[in-house]
Amino acid sequence: MSLTIGDKLPELTLAASGGKTISLAKDFKGKKLVVYFYPKDNTPGCTVEGQEFTGLYADFVKAGADIVGVSKDSVKSHDNFCTKFGFPFTLLSDGDEAMCNAFGAIVEKSMYGKKYMGIDRCTFLFDSKGKLAKDWRKVSAKGHAAEVLEAVTAL
């Protein structure tokens, strides 16, 4: 399954960094929401992406948007990642891949000729009514947050 423009934010509840439990549709009702999927905590590309979203976080808030990052890592791993790099936004733990599958974020990848299923670095922007306004697939971590912010401010 994969979301398409105009689809509603899925009603999912996940464990999150900071000991929270986040219900997407309820906790972000009436706000723009950026949901970004990344492969793994504490890896170079994922760190760059998180740092860039952190650097622009005040601008996202000013534009009326919140940000959540999603990977299959544990809440403990997320807490360490957030603490190490000072991320001001929530990271969701999707160990059972329910959210990844709902968003179509699990894709076939290849490393050293070996194929496997993993998280595609992708981002979804929902408007204040909870409808998907824009998505980005197979993104490059560097510079991506600025591109997303531009779309958020245009909404």
Side-chain angles (χ1 to χ4, degrees), residues 72 106-119 138:
K72 296 189 299 183
I106 298 289
V107 297
E108 185 176 81
K109 294 179 151 193
S110 181
M111 185 181 289
Y112 307 117
K114 182 177 164 102
K115 295 193 183 301
Y116 66 98
M117 299 304 283
I119 294 180
K138 299 188 185 320

Side-chain angles (χ1 to χ4, degrees), residues 40 54 68 71 103 112 116-117 140:
K40 189 145 183 61
T54 297
V68 294
S71 80
F103 281 72
Y112 307 117
Y116 66 98
M117 299 304 283
S140 216

Side-chain angles (χ1 to χ4, degrees), residues 29-97:
K29 189 173 186 160
K31 291 185 85 175
K32 298 174 197 169
L33 178 64
V34 173
V35 179
Y36 81 94
F37 288 83
Y38 64 97
K40 189 145 183 61
D41 291 346
N42 288 300
T43 56
C46 299
T47 300
V48 165
E49 188 173 25
Q51 288 174 318
E52 289 193 2
F53 274 116
T54 297
L56 296 171
Y57 186 69
D59 295 320
F60 278 97
V61 171
K62 187 176 174 184
D66 213 330
I67 301 168
V68 294
V70 185
S71 80
K72 296 189 299 183
D73 294 302
S74 68
V75 169
K76 183 177 182 189
S77 177
H78 283 343
D79 285 339
N80 292 338
F81 194 35
C82 286
T83 299
K84 185 176 182 178
F85 295 103
F87 297 158
F89 45 83
T90 301
L91 298 180
L92 304 178
S93 178
D94 190 28
D96 66 0
E97 299 180 2

